[in-house]
Amino acid sequence: MDRETSNDVAGQGRAIPVTVIPGDGVGPEIVRAAQRIIAAAGVPIAWQEAEAGAEVFRRGDSSGVPAATRDSIESTRVVLKGPLETPVGFGEKSANVTLRKLFETYANVRPARELPGVPTRYSGEGVDLVVVRENIEDLYAGIEHLETPDVAQGLKIITRKGSEKVIRYAFELARREGRAKVTCATKANIMKLTEGLFKRVFEEMAPEYPEIQAEHLIIDNVAHQLVKNPAQFDVVVTTNLNGDIISDLASGLVGGLGFASSGNYGDGVAIFEAVHGSAPKYAGKDVINPTALILSSVMMLRYLGQSAAAAAVEDAVLVTLEEGSAVTQDLARQLGGDVEHAASTTGFTDRVVANLGRRPRTVPVRARLIDETVERRPAWSYGTDRYASIARSLVGLDVMIESDMAVDELGDELARLAGGALRLAMLESRGTKVYPSIGLSVDHVRWYRGRFLAHDGRTPSEEDLVGLLGRIATRHRWTEALRLQSFDGEPGFTRAQGE
Ligand code: NAD
């Protein structure tokens, strides 16, 4: 069912189907709180309860997400979920990451704004930003190998399509919320091809949004600036690992995890959850702050086109925080107040329900996010024709080799093993050229990369590549081989330090 259909259904007074995953630890408590408030706000939802997380892992399902849950999400296309525990030491993947990947929810959206009644170091500065984090790619692809008993490698995957989807999402979000600026945060100065691709796509797309200021900042500077002057940021779009870190930082600026909401948006599927985890030490104690999940459910109501109910729930939360009539333990601790007599999860929820229909006195920085349903679908810049027109040529081969030999000896030998159109251009170790020696002292880790390039004016053949690997394999253990290509005359690979 798409969102329009669900709106129609709601308009006819029929319930909107939504998959609800209570989750682990404190999950069921906060999910029930949100469900109660949504019901009290008069939104008819047909909840389909589904399982994922710890119990599912324990039953031996290594994905943590059973087929029945996948089927439910396939049909409802909207999920409200509690946190899921990732058991340590089972070797399983995180069920959270699995859910995001299975349904290709490529944009993780985490608003961080000043809330009334939640004092922070930045109170009064007007912090009101949204981190839009790419949610599928990067090192979270989880493609890792032990190349030797001592050397681990993880692949950082960045695609033009993945980058374009999330960057488009960020610009569209800025446009519909009337935001002035989108900051792209990358480490393109170091990772020129991966983070560099993300930055390039951002720069290519920015002119489509002339009314929005587009800037690029290096991610470490963004971390620094977020702490020094967070109010300068509006929308920040970034790659997966960067976004994971700075969105938690941003939550910390406005009161902490108890208040941090999020939505994971894909094409036609969305998953809403608190940023925080299962907080196991508080499970079942009725003390956790449910605000993060309640505000995530506000994002969900907007996505479902239930703008009036979303505004009513958000206002009721803001009134409750503003009046301080129900202060949960985490906030009481921040306020230096009476933690022992703080409000319970249920007590806080009761107050929010009681405050439905009231408007906050102090205007929050952003009264409400604009209805999500006006979002425009992304389009892809690399169509088939453009893709096919890119001229590519094979220029060589990188071969990763495990070896205990002295570097010069190994280099001399690999140079002799080269043949056909290929010559050994260099050996490097962890990104630094070690052969021919440029006089650097580099630690020996028994793992090298031999770079074989074509002799001037020649193009290597497939036989050259395979023949070379065959000859190397007779004397050495090679662990990986990568084609070196150029695209429209530009090398599709980076140089080693010192190359
Ligand atoms: P956590 O977020 O559960 O807890 C971090 C700290 O914040 C703890 O002190 C906790 O008590 C406190 N806290 C968290 N939410 C709170 C709230 N609503 N109100 C008051 N205090 C709150 O992080 P963790 O301890 O690192 O992780 C616990 C488990 O949760 C792990 O298994 C982890 O993998 C999982 N996890 C799941 C998600 C998710 O489902 N999206 C996210 C993060 C962690």
Side-chain angles (χ1 to χ4, degrees):
M1 172 182 290
D2 63 22
R3 277 181 278 155
E4 271 167 17
T5 320
S6 62
N7 291 341
D8 292 347
V9 171
Q12 293 159 14
R14 298 221 341 250
I16 308 164
V18 172
T19 302
V20 59
I21 301 175
D24 300 318
V26 298
E29 298 164 54
I30 56 176
V31 166
R32 300 288 174 245
Q35 286 179 300
R36 257 187 71 199
I37 295 166
I38 291 170
V43 186
I45 292 192
W47 300 102
Q48 293 186 10
E49 191 153 324
E51 273 191 301
E55 193 46 43
V56 180
F57 283 122
R58 273 181 213 114
R59 284 207 308 267
D61 181 333
S62 64
S63 74
V65 184
T69 301
R70 296 178 198 194
D71 291 346
S72 172
I73 301 171
E74 279 295 348
S75 77
T76 64
R77 320 293 286 169
V78 184
V79 185
L80 182 67
K81 69 172 275 291
L84 305 179
E85 189 187 313
T86 306
V88 179
F90 285 64
E92 277 93 1
K93 300 253 179 193
S94 150
N96 294 303
V97 176
T98 301
L99 270 174
R100 291 172 196 162
K101 282 179 187 277
L102 277 178
F103 295 97
E104 189 81 26
T105 54
Y106 56 82
N108 180 287
V109 177
R110 295 187 181 184
R113 62 174 172 157
E114 191 174 321
L115 293 166
V118 186
T120 71
R121 286 164 205 264
Y122 304 95
S123 291
E125 292 185 16
V127 176
D128 176 20
L129 62 97
V130 184
V131 177
V132 180
R133 161 189 170 194
E134 199 290 318
N135 216 13
I136 307 284
E137 308 192 332
D138 199 353
L139 290 158
Y140 289 66
I143 307 170
E144 301 191 316
H145 297 93
L146 275 177
E147 295 262 337
T148 77
D150 285 346
V151 178
Q153 174 188 269
L155 294 185
K156 182 175 169 78
I157 310 290
I158 303 286
T159 70
R160 172 171 280 278
K161 187 171 183 176
S163 304
E164 181 171 337
K165 281 165 86 166
V166 73
I167 292 166
R168 165 100 46 217
Y169 193 96
F171 275 115
E172 291 291 328
L173 181 145
R175 182 172 270 176
R176 70 173 180 262
E177 292 189 6
R179 290 175 177 270
K181 183 165 77 170
V182 179
T183 304
C184 174
T186 76
K187 195 72 186 171
N189 52 331
I190 304 294
M191 288 165 262
K192 295 186 190 307
L193 294 185
T194 50
E195 295 274 305
L197 177 57
F198 195 85
K199 174 174 182 272
R200 209 161 50 242
V201 172
F202 176 79
E203 286 162 353
E204 285 171 18
M205 291 179 87
E208 289 185 42
Y209 299 86
E211 79 281 18
I212 297 167
Q213 185 194 342
E215 68 173 6
H216 173 265
L217 293 181
I218 299 293
I219 183 68
D220 32 340
N221 187 26
V222 170
H224 171 233
Q225 295 292 332
L226 271 171
V227 173
K228 276 189 71 172
N229 176 19
Q232 71 181 288
F233 292 103
D234 213 343
V235 176
V236 180
V237 65
T238 186
T239 50
N240 206 338
L241 178 59
N242 293 336
D244 195 1
I245 298 166
I246 62 156
S247 56
D248 262 33
L249 192 162
S251 307
L253 302 174
V254 291
L257 287 173
F259 300 95
S261 56
S262 81
N264 301 280
Y265 299 86
D267 289 329
V269 178
I271 303 172
F272 299 89
E273 59 182 333
V275 169
H276 65 77
S278 58
K281 71 179 173 195
Y282 294 131
K285 296 190 176 151
D286 197 27
V287 296
I288 203 81
N289 180 357
T291 304
L293 195 82
I294 299 169
L295 291 179
S296 306
S297 73
V298 167
M299 294 170 80
M300 181 187 84
L301 291 176
R302 293 219 160 86
Y303 181 79
L304 292 170
Q306 300 289 322
S307 310
V313 173
E314 188 171 37
D315 281 349
V317 171
L318 296 174
V319 168
T320 307
L321 294 173
E322 184 179 76
E323 292 184 343
S325 50
V327 173
T328 47
Q329 281 189 2
D330 57 331
L331 184 55
R333 216 168 281 123
Q334 284 175 43
L335 294 168
D338 183 359
V339 175
E340 230 165 75
H341 297 100
S344 63
T345 309
T346 311
F348 182 89
T349 309
D350 291 342
R351 286 257 35 101
V352 175
V353 170
N355 284 331
L356 282 167
R358 296 182 59 198
R359 300 290 303 274
R361 260 182 307 108
T362 52
V363 183
V365 179
R366 178 167 299 274
R368 57 189 47 108
L369 301 180
I370 292 164
D371 193 339
E372 296 275 359
T373 53
V374 299
E375 175 193 339
R376 186 155 67 80
R377 287 280 149 236
W380 316 124
S381 61
Y382 265 19
T384 313
D385 291 350
R386 177 143 178 234
Y387 191 80
S389 75
I390 294 167
R392 56 176 93 196
S393 48
L394 178 62
V395 297
L397 190 71
D398 270 355
V399 186
M400 279 61 158
I401 295 161
E402 182 182 356
S403 175
D404 226 349
M405 283 170 82
V407 178
D408 286 342
E409 231 178 287
L410 177 66
D412 290 347
E413 181 160 308
L414 290 174
R416 280 195 298 276
L417 290 173
L422 292 169
R423 63 185 173 85
L424 179 72
M426 62 136 199
L427 269 187
E428 61 86 11
S429 168
R430 291 176 297 160
T432 304
K433 179 177 167 182
V434 291
Y435 176 94
S437 171
I438 53 169
L440 299 174
S441 63
V442 174
D443 244 352
H444 178 63
V445 296
R446 301 195 189 90
W447 191 58
Y448 297 92
R449 178 164 57 118
R451 170 155 290 177
F452 296 88
L453 291 175
H455 289 290
D456 280 347
R458 296 183 61 181
T459 302
S461 64
E462 293 298 326
E463 290 71 34
D464 285 335
L465 305 189
V466 177
L468 172 64
L469 282 178
R471 288 191 297 281
I472 292 174
T474 60
R475 308 207 21 102
H476 302 277
R477 186 179 273 138
W478 66 269
T479 64
E480 192 179 351
L482 288 165
R483 301 165 79 87
L484 299 177
Q485 307 176 78
S486 72
F487 299 94
D488 277 344
E490 292 292 323
F493 47 93
T494 52
R495 289 174 186 280
Q497 209 76 35
E499 187 178 353

